[in-house]
Amino acid sequence: MHRDEILAWLCEGDLARLGDLWQLADRTRQHYVGGEVHLRGLVEISNHCVRWCGYCGLRAGNHSLHRYRMTDGEILACTREAVELGYGTVVLQAGEDPELTRDRIAGMVSRIKAETPLAVTLSLGEREDGDLAAWREAGADRYLLRFETSNRALYEQLHPPRTGYRPTDRTAILGALRRLGYEIGSGVMIGLPGQIYDDLADDLMCFGRLGLDMIGVGPYLRHPQTPLADRHRWPPASNVEQVPASELMTYKVMALARLVCPRANIPATTALATLNPREGHELGLVRGANVVMPNLTPPRYRALYEIYPGRAGEAETGEACCRGLDQRLRAIGRRPGRGRGDSSNYQMRRS
Ligand code: SAH
């Protein structure tokens, strides 16, 4: 797909024309990855973080947040729940937490792989090549690391390097992950203050260039305890190109992501469901998405993993979420996936 075409869709305001985009994305999804919706159990294992990301409530500077780190036993209990609920994958996510050492995570991954049939996805931020290699060796299957925005200046403004470290390049880390044999996932936030339509078009081109196996996108949601919160108002009229952090814009990016990377696994994200709790997941699933990530984090920790306030499903148990989900999928003519739900893009590039 040409960049001009992507840009035109991003700027399209006519809902009837957008109907064509939704249909094209839905057909492409059906053709390349089928009607199954893969369920990934999300476990947020720690909210400690050494970074100072301008958008995220877990940032080190947020002293009003009570911090937690799950024990190995608690994490394993969540993975057993994922198996009982019939999920094929568990996703371990956290802030950038140095106490989640190379050995601790490697040990955890080996145990999950030994004791369950689950695929293991890690989303632990920017880590050394040695850590990533050790975890792959231990059996980790996939790694999620959003590059957040391809606008370098905006990225560096929102994502300062660790003190004493050089600025990182997340696309380079994704390259390393790919060489290590991981399925690689990335994505961006939509409507970051200062993000313009050209940036989003570049983001989508970047998805294609990286040949992503998984793509997660969601609206930027304002967190009052972050520096970016004061910039939540759109810039004045002179800057008309600011992308809105809207539900509609999120569907556009999801649909275009499906067209750019037809074989990728694309979730309908929690951030999207936060904007539209009633039908955000469903609308995402009929506009390109084929994955949902129910939250299995124990409820007493879940509210503390506050990357942004008011997350959808905050009060729900994994079991309740699953029960509802099954019916909701059937209502849109889809069914929960069986097995691990590996990315067909990954399978193709490995064969
Ligand atoms: N420490 C890990 C995991 C971060 S949370 C990492 O940096 O990769 C996962 C994703 O949540 C982030 O990549 C970001 O895209 C998203 N996120 C963080 N803060 C957000 C906010 N305020 N609004 C919307 N999404 C946010």
Side-chain angles (χ1 to χ4, degrees):
M1 201 175 200
H2 283 292
R3 191 180 178 286
D4 292 348
E5 210 180 332
I6 290 174
L7 194 57
W9 277 122
L10 291 172
C11 299
E12 181 61 63
D14 182 335
L15 289 179
R17 297 260 287 278
L18 282 169
D20 295 342
L21 177 63
W22 312 148
Q23 224 180 60
L24 187 59
D26 198 44
R27 277 206 219 112
T28 306
R29 188 266 314 147
Q30 182 64 36
H31 179 78
Y32 285 95
V33 296
E36 291 193 329
V37 175
H38 303 295
L39 304 179
R40 324 297 200 192
L42 176 64
V43 188
E44 294 148 338
I45 63 176
S46 162
N47 72 350
H48 289 265
C49 192
V50 294
R51 303 301 291 266
W52 290 74
C53 302
Y55 44 84
C56 182
L58 304 191
R59 68 200 309 273
N62 182 6
H63 298 295
S64 61
L65 182 65
H66 179 76
R67 305 282 172 164
Y68 73 90
R69 186 177 296 115
M70 288 172 67
T71 65
D72 287 6
E74 288 172 326
I75 298 170
L76 282 164
C78 291
T79 64
R80 282 192 288 273
E81 192 183 355
V83 176
E84 280 157 25
L85 292 169
Y87 303 167
T89 298
V90 71
V91 181
L92 306 184
Q93 191 178 79
E96 236 168 86
D97 178 1
E99 299 280 313
L100 297 176
T101 58
R102 180 182 299 184
D103 288 349
R104 177 153 181 226
I105 295 297
M108 174 59 54
V109 171
S110 322
R111 278 195 71 181
I112 298 172
K113 298 300 288 190
E115 294 173 21
T116 76
L118 297 169
V120 175
T121 303
L122 299 176
S123 177
L124 304 174
E126 297 166 19
R127 303 285 302 227
E128 290 174 22
D129 287 359
D131 294 348
L132 303 174
W135 300 339
R136 175 75 186 140
E137 188 92 347
D141 300 278
R142 313 180 185 137
Y143 204 98
L144 301 175
L145 185 72
R146 292 186 177 178
F147 61 78
E148 315 293 6
T149 170
S150 56
N151 176 332
R152 195 67 209 168
L154 183 60
Y155 178 79
E156 280 175 20
Q157 196 186 333
L158 298 182
H159 195 88
R162 284 181 73 172
T163 358
Y165 286 73
R166 284 194 310 187
T168 47
D169 176 355
R170 285 192 165 197
T171 57
I173 301 175
L174 288 163
L177 287 162
R178 169 192 271 255
R179 284 190 295 279
L180 286 166
Y182 283 94
E183 264 187 52
I184 56 166
S186 194
V188 297
M189 279 174 282
I190 296 159
L192 286 165
Q195 185 183 51
I196 62 173
Y197 286 83
D198 275 297
D199 295 332
L200 263 190
D202 289 340
D203 293 346
L204 281 151
M205 295 300 286
C206 195
F207 293 166
R209 235 182 359 261
L210 290 168
L212 295 175
D213 304 309
M214 304 173 282
I215 302 173
V217 299
Y220 160 68
L221 296 158
R222 176 177 175 272
H223 190 302
Q225 259 83 47
T226 60
L228 207 56
D230 302 330
R231 288 188 42 197
H232 68 289
R233 273 175 222 287
W234 308 136
S238 63
N239 192 347
V240 289
E241 289 180 301
Q242 166 69 49
V243 172
S246 67
E247 194 185 340
L248 184 68
M249 191 57 63
T250 304
Y251 297 131
K252 289 186 190 178
V253 177
M254 288 170 68
L256 291 165
R258 171 59 65 203
L259 301 182
V260 170
C261 296
R263 293 176 186 278
N265 281 334
I266 301 180
T269 57
T270 306
L272 172 60
T274 299
L275 285 188
N276 182 351
R278 215 168 46 83
E279 52 178 8
H281 276 150
E282 282 88 336
L283 286 173
L285 288 170
V286 299
R287 295 173 177 180
N290 70 324
V291 170
V292 173
M293 299 170 69
N295 197 326
L296 294 184
T297 311
R300 65 182 175 287
Y301 297 134
R302 200 179 301 176
L304 298 173
Y305 196 82
E306 199 193 44
I307 50 183
Y308 51 80
R311 278 193 309 155
E314 203 135 271
E316 235 171 10
T317 62
E319 203 262 327
C321 166
C322 186
R323 215 179 324 111
L325 200 62
D326 215 65
Q327 285 164 5
R328 288 166 69 181
L329 294 183
R330 292 186 196 281
I332 54 168
R334 305 276 281 279
R335 57 188 185 280
R338 297 189 179 282
R340 298 169 20 129
D342 290 317
S343 161
S344 95
N345 190 63
Y346 178 79
Q347 287 164 337
M348 207 179 66
R349 72 179 163 81
R350 299 284 284 190
S351 65

